Amino acid sequence: MAENNNKITLTALVMMIFTTVFGFANSTVAFYLMGYASILFYLLAAVLFFIPFAMMMAEYGAAIKSDSSGMYKWLEVSVNARFAFVGTFMWFASYIIWLVSTSAKVWIPFTTMFFGSDQTQKFAFLGLNATQVIGLLSCLWMVIVTLVSIKGVKGIVRVTSLGGLAVTSLNAILLVVSGVILALNHGHFAQPMTHLLDSPNPGYQQPVGLMSFAVFAIFAYGGLEVLGGMVDKTKNPEKTFPRGIIISAIVITLGYALGILCWGISTNWQAVLANPTTNMGNISYVMMRNLGLVLGQSLGLSQATSNLIGLWFARYTGLGMFLAYSGAFFTLTYSPLKTLILGTPKSLWPKKFTKLNENKMPSYAMMVQCAIVIVIILVASFATSDASAFYNVLTLMANVSMTLPYLFLLYAFPKFKQNRAIQKPFEVYKSPRLTVLISWVVFVVVLGANIFTLIQPVLATGNFKNTFWMLVGPVLFGLIGIIWYQVHVHRTTR
């Protein structure tokens, strides 16, 4: 009885899923790219991706329990070891791209924290343009974080958890302040409630642009892999877990929809977001500063006082996002790497890679990872001189690389269901035909979203460079994974 009382209840499960998946910045990026039309895409992503994929992860996790192997074990028992290694390696590679992207983006909240706005586009120094200076600072950040993480300094991660609380509080600030502004302005929205299915962003008004936004909607529901380990900890999982997933999908989708509508109360797209210095890296700070400015104006305060309120809104956002980015960065510098080298067969790796130091960290592997990230940062930052375009490409690179590994799990799921040797204590998909149909529908949705994201720059502006940067990471790391595994097979065969 006591053990049952310690199980996760429906309410607790919904809260856990919400805090894992919901992201404040997802509503600002959505409004910037698609305006009110993004609400429909988030709704479709919940139905066509979040709910069915979360149920699959729950079935994987309940049937194949492993503290360290995770995704590798799921794919190995469902398909084979080669497929599992390549899929897990690409999952790890997505975090390499995330480290590249975030090491550059972290300077936006850092400068906003002090100056109230993004100053990174003014970083030109000693003959280097802003993007190149950002690249060098990103390399320095990566080195510092890696060295600190190797030492196992966990106190910093505890301090940066305050960032999570600060970012969570931003949602409350948005709702309350938007409500006040709406009341003071007698129900008037800054962004007119017309053309609700059209994007105000010129880059997302064509069909390919619209479809490419789907990858943002899928990314907004990311992090579902961790749900697999919650099933056996849930009270009455056969009923509670499916209900929890569906309720969470409704709550998260309504949360995103409400957030997007709230941004329309204070932000007119053409007046605030059409500035060429606005990009996917600094959009949250631009919109939060404008929220404070409009609050002051609605209260009838002077322009100087309104500007000051906006400045402090942006600074608070910068502080919270900087601490949150830092906390995530310290964790993701070692966590995915440890999962890769400890969750796959040790024979696949040189002994130096699997050796842990006195702080239980794979120090040699972390230094190699640091070197790889630095090389990618330098190549990317010295390849473009436009800082705003640089941040947009980094965001797209991260979105594509983080969603592609889902294809491996989706492809393997029908095979997992067909394997009768695997005991499945928790099952949602009981019909073989329905399992195959849903798996392939979700597979096509994720694949299609990524394809449209890749071709959108080419068709919209003839920009092959952006497509190249988004594609090179997954392709390169996929090939490395295949070659690495083949070398291992050849060596063991000999």
Side-chain angles (χ1 to χ4, degrees):
M1 188 75 176
E3 184 184 343
N4 202 41
N5 289 335
N6 291 328
K7 295 278 188 177
I8 299 170
T9 62
L10 178 62
T11 304
L13 179 66
V14 171
M15 287 301 297
M16 288 172 74
I17 296 171
F18 181 84
T19 53
T20 300
V21 173
F22 191 85
F24 170 77
N26 290 326
S27 63
T28 58
V29 171
F31 188 85
Y32 173 55
L33 296 181
M34 289 288 291
Y36 297 128
S38 57
I39 295 173
L40 176 61
F41 278 85
Y42 276 22
L43 175 62
L44 291 173
V47 175
L48 297 176
F49 172 72
F50 177 75
I51 294 174
F53 189 70
M55 299 294 191
M56 293 177 197
M57 296 307 100
E59 287 206 28
Y60 273 131
I64 308 164
K65 299 179 180 67
S66 175
D67 292 333
S68 59
S69 300
M71 181 175 174
Y72 177 83
K73 200 68 180 174
W74 295 354
L75 297 178
E76 184 188 33
V77 299
S78 302
V79 187
N80 57 48
R82 178 186 284 103
F83 183 85
F85 180 77
V86 174
T88 308
F89 196 84
M90 285 193 68
W91 168 83
F92 164 73
S94 71
Y95 285 99
I96 292 284
I97 302 300
W98 186 92
L99 291 174
V100 171
S101 174
T102 307
S103 63
K105 285 185 181 180
V106 76
W107 300 104
I108 297 177
F110 183 80
T111 58
T112 304
M113 184 169 54
F114 292 102
F115 301 102
S117 63
D118 172 23
Q119 299 295 309
T120 59
Q121 297 177 53
K122 302 175 183 177
F123 271 12
F125 183 67
L126 292 178
L128 298 172
N129 62 44
T131 308
Q132 292 165 346
V133 174
I134 293 165
L136 294 175
L137 287 172
S138 303
C139 294
L140 178 64
W141 172 260
M142 187 67 203
V143 170
I144 292 171
V145 172
T146 299
L147 291 175
V148 172
S149 298
I150 285 173
K151 296 293 183 184
V153 182
K154 300 295 193 298
I156 293 177
V157 180
R158 293 193 193 101
V159 172
T160 55
S161 65
L162 293 172
L165 294 173
V167 173
T168 302
S169 70
L170 293 176
N171 293 297
I173 292 170
L174 171 63
L175 291 175
V176 173
V177 173
S178 296
V180 171
I181 292 171
L182 189 65
L184 291 172
N185 291 338
H186 310 292
H188 174 73
F189 279 67
Q191 181 67 22
M193 297 282 286
T194 55
H195 306 292
L196 295 180
L197 298 181
D198 295 330
S199 170
N201 190 320
Y204 287 81
Q205 290 174 351
Q206 300 302 317
V208 173
L210 290 171
M211 294 306 297
S212 70
F213 178 74
V215 81
F216 287 92
I218 291 170
F219 185 77
Y221 293 99
L224 297 175
E225 316 88 78
V226 301
L227 301 182
M230 294 183 187
V231 178
D232 58 340
K233 300 178 181 69
T234 304
K235 189 176 183 180
N236 193 12
E238 288 76 13
K239 290 184 178 179
T240 304
F241 212 89
R243 282 181 191 169
I245 295 293
I246 293 168
I247 293 171
S248 299
I250 294 169
V251 171
I252 292 168
T253 306
L254 286 175
Y256 283 140
L258 185 59
I260 292 162
L261 286 172
C262 283
W263 287 123
I265 293 170
S266 60
T267 307
N268 179 276
W269 202 97
Q270 293 298 333
V272 180
L273 306 182
N275 193 315
T277 60
T278 303
N279 55 63
M280 285 184 266
N282 64 18
I283 183 64
S284 296
Y285 317 102
V286 170
M287 292 174 72
M288 279 299 289
R289 180 166 183 165
N290 182 69
L291 180 69
L293 171 68
V294 174
L295 174 63
Q297 292 171 340
S298 301
L299 289 168
L301 304 176
S302 68
Q303 189 64 25
T305 305
S306 299
N307 279 326
L308 187 62
I309 294 171
L311 189 74
W312 281 102
F313 268 49
R315 282 177 169 165
Y316 180 74
T317 307
L319 173 64
M321 295 293 276
F322 178 74
L323 290 173
Y325 272 150
S326 300
F329 212 99
F330 276 97
T331 302
L332 295 175
T333 301
Y334 66 85
S335 182
L337 182 62
K338 282 183 76 173
T339 300
L340 177 71
I341 62 177
L342 299 181
T344 54
K346 280 194 173 185
S347 59
L348 283 165
W349 306 103
K351 287 185 178 180
K352 283 185 177 181
F353 274 59
T354 57
K355 186 179 179 182
L356 303 180
N357 64 14
E358 64 274 12
N359 298 306
K360 304 296 181 185
M361 293 291 181
S363 52
Y364 182 82
M366 288 173 71
M367 286 188 286
V368 172
Q369 173 184 258
C370 180
I372 293 169
V373 171
I374 285 173
V375 168
I376 298 173
I377 290 170
L378 291 175
V379 172
S381 59
F382 279 77
T384 179
S385 58
D386 185 343
S388 194
F390 177 59
Y391 286 125
N392 286 339
V393 172
L394 287 177
T395 302
L396 291 167
M397 281 172 63
N399 286 0
V400 169
S401 64
M402 295 292 277
T403 53
L404 277 178
Y406 295 153
L407 297 176
F408 286 84
L409 290 164
L410 289 164
Y411 173 81
F413 188 71
K415 298 178 183 299
F416 159 78
K417 294 291 288 183
Q418 291 162 11
N419 190 336
R420 300 193 180 278
I422 304 171
Q423 286 192 334
K424 303 177 184 70
F426 172 79
E427 288 191 275
V428 175
Y429 300 100
K430 296 179 181 179
S431 165
R433 286 185 179 179
L434 190 62
T435 299
V436 173
L437 176 63
I438 293 175
S439 298
W440 280 106
V441 166
V442 181
F443 184 94
V444 169
V445 167
V446 176
L447 180 63
N450 279 284
I451 289 172
F452 281 115
T453 302
L454 290 168
I455 65 174
Q456 191 265 342
V458 177
L459 296 182
T461 60
N463 191 334
F464 287 89
K465 188 187 289 185
N466 285 6
T467 298
F468 170 78
W469 280 113
M470 285 186 278
L471 196 57
V472 69
V475 170
L476 181 62
F477 281 105
L479 287 173
I480 291 172
I482 293 168
I483 294 167
W484 192 286
Y485 189 84
Q486 284 303 120
V487 169
H488 161 71
V489 170
H490 182 68
R491 193 190 308 126
T492 52
T493 304
R494 286 175 61 190

